[in-house]
């Protein structure tokens, strides 16, 4: 079933105010998400925060079912935390790295993943190996296979980078991880919500994602998936009264399920908002979302290529809803600023967010226009006309 775009826009108050092409930053929330947030906040105001959480206990539990359905996991394999970075950190810092271990990662790696690699390198003396890209600009699976040996403790890659349309071959990486018995952590922050993502198909052991990007949920919440078979092996770097129980003066026991990666105090309304966002996405269907996002992004790339001085920078064989480009003689920030005056939202992706990739391409920054299924072809035409007018001047 194709997306009913008019209904999608009707459900999205933001569509009446802005031309939003910053879905990779934070997408516009639909009404059911706003309703879930508002309802819980009102309950908290009227009956007290703890009492409101108790009243919503069943709905809170259902958020785990929704996330599990979205990614093909079991509910006990899901932890809901503050954001994708914290989710990723809880997985990464749970791994008992030892001197001489190797981490194998991607050129497209995100800053907040690579800094922990460097920190762990300083701490224990491990090696960070970056898999080169193939001729399409995606992670080279053949090279990855050659790089795996018994010293590789972790394969950690980014599915969709923050700085462009690339979709790395996550499932092919997963096959190598399974065959070689190597732990595999996938940063799926930009892919979850815009395309079908199934942890069994992909074959990852751990996966991190956020609420506010392509899932269209609220800010300040995200989730971690950890495969049940590896849960027991991973001791969280931080433990509190939710993750563990204090059983005797000198003893504690860690929870058996993925909630060992959570902490007690959280934004309950945001958690419910995430659940509503996941249910809303499932209502459209991830395949239908992916079809439309892909169509709009390709239209945008085609239109941008017609503009003088514009270079579309997206890499990869499969390209997603993130469209990054450079404009000759125009600073990306100036373009973002000028577009904002026409109530068009784009963002700028800087060198320091994906340093390996940007340095390989000798780039300082790109303009990033990221489409979602509620965008329209006429919005894309208007965006390109506005941009063309700015470039001409
Ligand atoms: C945004 C982003 C993150 C971080 O997500 P937060 O929810 O901000 O912590 C991680 N990885 C990639 C590829 C991202 O684009």
């Amino acid at each position: 079933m194709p997306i009913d775009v008019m209904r999608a826009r009707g459900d999205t108050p933001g569509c009446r105010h802005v031309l939003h092409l910053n879905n990779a930053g934070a997408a516009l929330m639909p009404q059911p998400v706003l309703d879930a947030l508002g309802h819980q906040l009102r309950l908290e105001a009227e009956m007290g925060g703890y009492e409101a959480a108790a009243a919503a206990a069943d709905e809170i539990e259902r958020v785990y079912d929704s996330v599990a359905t979205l990614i093909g996991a079991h509910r006990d394999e899901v932890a809901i935390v503050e954001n994708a970075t914290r989710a990723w950190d809880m997985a990464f810092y749970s791994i008992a790295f030892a001197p001489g271990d190797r981490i194998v990662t991607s050129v497209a790696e995100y800053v907040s993943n690579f800094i922990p690699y460097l920190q762990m390198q300083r701490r224990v003396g491990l090696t960070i190996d970056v898999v080169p890209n193939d001729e399409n600009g995606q992670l080279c699976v053949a090279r990855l296979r050659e790089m795996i040996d018994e010293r590789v403790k972790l394969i950690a890659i980014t599915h969709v980078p923050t700085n462009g349309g690339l979709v790395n071959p996550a499932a092919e990486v997963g096959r190598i991880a399974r065959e070689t018995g190597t732990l595999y952590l996938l940063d799926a922050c930009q892919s979850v919500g815009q395309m079908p993502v199934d942890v069994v198909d992909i074959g990852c052991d751990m996966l991190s994602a956020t609420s506010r990007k392509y899932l269209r949920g609220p800010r300040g919440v995200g989730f971690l998936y950890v495969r049940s078979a590896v849960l027991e092996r991973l001791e969280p770097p931080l433990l509190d009264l939710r993750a563990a129980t204090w059983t005797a003066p000198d003893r504690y026991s860690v929870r058996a399920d993925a909630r060992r990666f959570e902490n007690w105090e959280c934004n309950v309304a945001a958690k419910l908002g995430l659940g509503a966002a996941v249910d809303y996405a499932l209502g459209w269907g991830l395949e239908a979302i992916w079809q439309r996002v892909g169509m709009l992004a390709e239209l945008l790339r085609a239109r941008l290529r017609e503009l003088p001085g514009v270079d579309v920078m997206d890499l990869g064989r499969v390209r997603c809803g993130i469209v990054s480009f450079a404009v000759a003689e125009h600073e990306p920030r100036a373009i973002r600023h000028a577009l904002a005056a026409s109530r068009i939202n784009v963002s700028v992706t800087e060198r320091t967010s994906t340093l390996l990739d940007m340095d390989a391409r000798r780039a300082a920054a790109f303009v990033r226009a990221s489409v979602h299924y509620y965008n329209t072809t006429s919005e894309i035409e208007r965006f390109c006309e506005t941009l063309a007018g700015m470039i001409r001047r």
Side-chain angles (χ1 to χ4, degrees):
M1 273 281 281
I3 303 267
D4 178 347
V5 182
M6 284 310 120
R7 179 163 82 78
R9 294 179 69 79
D11 285 351
T12 307
C15 288
R16 295 195 283 277
H17 304 281
V18 289
L19 198 177
H20 193 67
L21 298 178
N22 190 14
N23 294 290
L28 298 175
M29 289 184 281
Q31 193 62 45
V33 171
L34 293 176
D35 292 344
L37 289 167
H39 178 74
Q40 191 63 20
L41 289 178
R42 214 160 28 247
L43 279 189
E44 289 183 3
E46 287 168 4
M47 61 192 291
Y50 286 35
E51 294 76 9
D58 292 346
E59 282 113 294
I60 293 168
E61 284 307 314
R62 278 201 291 276
V63 179
Y64 293 84
D65 295 314
S66 296
V67 171
T69 302
L70 177 72
I71 60 169
H74 189 275
R75 68 195 313 282
D76 289 344
E77 298 173 315
V78 173
I80 298 175
V81 294
E82 295 91 322
N83 50 58
T85 301
R86 184 43 44 91
W88 189 96
D89 284 341
M90 291 304 281
F92 179 78
Y93 287 100
S94 293
I95 300 166
F97 289 104
D101 282 349
R102 297 170 63 205
I103 295 173
V104 172
T105 188
S106 59
V107 175
E109 208 59 7
Y110 188 63
V111 50
S112 301
N113 307 347
F114 212 89
I115 289 171
Y117 303 152
L118 293 171
Q119 185 193 37
M120 198 57 77
Q121 181 174 54
R122 281 192 193 168
R123 214 182 259 176
V124 306
L126 46 75
T127 311
I128 306 164
D129 292 306
V130 180
V131 187
N133 286 338
D134 67 12
E135 67 281 3
N136 296 304
Q138 65 178 27
L139 179 142
C140 180
V141 177
R143 290 296 303 278
L144 168 68
R145 178 178 290 280
E146 291 165 6
M147 290 166 79
I148 301 295
D149 64 19
E150 67 289 340
R151 284 173 54 215
V152 176
K153 185 69 137 278
L154 176 69
I155 300 170
I157 68 155
T158 297
H159 197 188
V160 166
T162 199
N163 71 330
L166 168 69
V167 183
N168 263 325
E172 292 176 56
V173 172
R175 272 196 288 283
I176 294 174
R178 295 278 71 77
E179 281 165 28
T180 58
T182 314
L183 209 54
Y184 176 20
L185 168 57
L186 183 66
D187 176 342
C189 196
Q190 292 289 6
S191 51
V192 168
Q194 70 162 315
M195 65 184 73
V197 172
D198 184 289
V199 291
V200 177
D201 289 348
I202 290 174
C204 56
D205 296 296
M206 302 158 286
L207 174 147
S208 55
T210 206
S211 152
R212 75 179 184 283
K213 295 181 178 175
Y214 274 93
L215 271 177
R216 310 184 61 193
R219 299 193 63 169
V221 60
F223 64 84
L224 172 67
Y225 156 80
V226 179
R227 197 157 65 90
S228 59
V230 303
L231 255 171
E232 282 287 312
R233 278 200 270 147
L234 297 176
E235 163 104 12
L238 306 166
L239 290 172
D240 76 343
L241 77 172
R242 178 158 175 91
T245 305
W246 194 8
T247 52
D250 61 349
R251 266 200 296 278
Y252 64 89
S253 63
V254 182
R255 282 183 77 114
D257 62 18
R259 295 185 206 187
R260 62 170 53 189
F261 300 103
E262 296 185 352
N263 56 85
W264 188 80
E265 171 57 3
C266 67
N267 184 336
V268 175
K271 202 161 171 170
L272 292 165
L274 164 64
V278 171
D279 292 344
Y280 188 75
L282 290 171
W284 292 112
L286 273 296
E287 192 55 54
I289 291 172
W290 180 220
Q291 291 293 320
R292 184 166 168 81
V293 166
M295 181 277 288
L296 290 170
E298 282 308 318
L299 174 67
L300 175 54
R301 290 187 188 102
R303 286 286 178 273
L304 285 172
R305 286 193 192 103
E306 291 166 4
L307 300 180
V310 174
D311 277 321
V312 175
M313 305 307 296
D314 301 321
L315 304 174
R317 199 143 43 91
V318 180
R319 284 180 298 271
C320 69
I322 303 179
V323 179
S324 58
F325 60 94
V327 185
E329 289 162 38
H330 291 267
E331 286 295 327
R333 283 169 194 231
I335 288 179
R336 181 190 59 194
H337 188 74
L339 287 167
S342 302
R343 283 196 288 176
I344 298 174
N345 298 338
V346 295
S347 57
V348 173
T349 181
E350 306 275 356
R351 168 179 178 257
T352 51
S353 290
T354 44
L355 185 135
L356 299 181
D357 180 49
M358 297 300 270
D359 280 2
R361 298 198 263 167
R362 295 192 175 78
F366 300 142
V367 183
R368 183 181 70 174
S370 42
V371 301
H372 216 326
Y373 61 85
Y374 55 77
N375 291 124
T376 63
T377 53
S378 58
E379 281 186 317
I380 287 174
E381 302 297 349
R382 182 156 79 83
F383 166 73
C384 290
E385 280 162 27
T386 308
L387 181 68
M390 289 165 38
I391 295 172
R392 238 179 274 123
R393 239 173 280 136

